[in-house]
Amino acid sequence: AQTVTQSQPEMSVQEAETVTLSCTYDTSESDYYLFWYKQPPSRQMILVIRQEAYKQQNATENRFSVNFQKAAKSFSLKISDSQLGDAAMYFCAYGHMEYGNKLVFGAGTILRVKS
Amino acid sequence: EAQVTQNPRYLITVTGKKLTVTCSQNMNHEYMSWYRQDPGLGLRQIYYSMNVEVTDKGDVPEGYKVSRKEKRNFPLILESPSPNQTSLYFCASSSGWEEETQYFGPGTRLLVL
């Protein structure tokens, strides 16, 4: 069964600095998708970034980028120039269409941003 | 505006009183899912549907029912709620085989006394 592990329950970052959130996963599949979702206090699930496993190039979305290491099954999220609005719970998720389009989530990392 | 809506957003009920949480999407998506979120466990899939009249169990289906009579709607039914079903529930949808990204509703916070 696929599993996703986020080993950092909480992280803190100073405003304008860079922080990296870790995620590892376990799968025997070769073609899959990985996601980072942000959950602010409103509880809304907001897609931050998505990575297709067949693509070697790391995905980027403005201040958000990933370091995708397929062999190591690692998928970390880097947030540059952190802003107060980045404070939230961040979830790493694995997806594979064969399993009913199910997303398997990690337990989440709470990110606190200090001003 | 493309969106997934859920109702109600907040619900307090008592053990054994049947309830339904509605979910609707306006993106003509094939896939719809229900997840529950619990502290320390992330989100776990309850049920999913690949199309109208096609549903299947996810990882934690016990105590829940679903139906998919129309493409846009995917209600979650708790026939006899119990306190261990107190949770935050999310409905999600995606377009299908070419698009893995799931779009989530705003969540329904359920408290079962």
Side-chain angles (χ1 to χ4, degrees):
Chain A
Q2 291 75 21
T3 59
V4 176
T5 302
Q6 293 179 249
S7 58
Q8 305 153 316
E10 286 193 31
M11 292 283 285
S12 291
V13 63
Q14 199 69 33
E15 202 174 1
E17 295 191 344
T18 296
V19 64
T20 298
L21 308 185
S22 301
C23 173
T24 59
Y25 59 94
D26 187 27
T27 183
S28 58
E29 303 292 339
S30 59
D31 191 15
Y32 49 86
Y33 295 77
L34 296 164
F35 305 87
W36 280 98
Y37 280 90
K38 172 185 177 182
Q39 187 179 54
S42 67
R43 299 295 189 180
Q44 178 72 46
M45 294 290 286
I46 302 166
L47 178 66
V48 174
I49 201 164
R50 152 200 166 111
Q51 174 81 43
E52 290 89 344
Y54 65 86
K55 290 186 177 179
Q56 291 187 333
Q57 187 172 7
N58 290 323
T60 62
E61 286 288 341
N62 301 314
R63 297 182 295 108
F64 299 88
S65 62
V66 298
N67 183 5
F68 174 47
Q69 302 289 329
K70 191 172 184 179
K73 296 180 182 175
S74 171
F75 183 60
S76 61
L77 175 70
K78 185 172 83 170
I79 306 174
S80 304
D81 185 25
S82 297
Q83 301 175 0
L84 294 176
D86 294 333
M89 174 80 89
Y90 286 81
F91 289 101
C92 178
Y94 165 99
H96 190 284
M97 289 303 296
E98 188 170 333
Y99 301 104
N101 204 26
K102 175 177 69 179
L103 289 179
V104 178
F105 285 83
T109 297
I110 297 172
L111 177 66
R112 305 190 193 281
V113 181
K114 303 174 187 175
S115 59
Chain B
E1 179 190 357
Q3 60 183 350
V4 179
T5 57
Q6 293 178 229
N7 282 292
R9 295 288 311 280
Y10 304 91
L11 181 58
I12 301 174
T13 189
V14 296
T15 299
K17 186 176 181 180
K18 181 180 178 180
L19 67 91
T20 299
V21 184
T22 64
C23 172
S24 183
Q25 50 93 5
N26 63 0
M27 295 170 279
N28 200 35
H29 282 171
E30 301 283 342
Y31 280 79
M32 298 186 75
S33 293
W34 276 102
Y35 294 84
R36 61 177 288 173
Q37 180 181 352
D38 302 292
L41 297 176
L43 283 74
R44 294 175 293 166
Q45 191 185 55
I46 303 170
Y47 267 95
Y48 66 93
S49 170
M50 301 199 314
N51 212 328
V52 175
E53 301 293 1
V54 180
T55 64
D56 207 347
K57 297 176 181 179
D59 291 328
V60 288
E62 294 77 20
Y64 304 95
K65 285 177 58 178
V66 293
S67 68
R68 187 95 180 271
K69 293 184 172 21
E70 305 168 281
K71 196 173 187 179
R72 64 182 293 126
N73 296 323
F74 190 45
L76 179 70
I77 303 158
L78 285 72
E79 295 257 347
S80 183
S82 62
N84 64 12
Q85 292 178 297
T86 292
S87 188
L88 178 60
Y89 291 87
F90 287 99
C91 181
S93 73
S94 64
S95 62
W97 293 104
E98 299 300 321
E99 175 57 73
E100 288 271 4
T101 302
Q102 294 197 25
Y103 299 89
F104 285 81
T108 294
R109 184 168 290 281
L110 172 65
L111 173 60
V112 183
L113 301 173

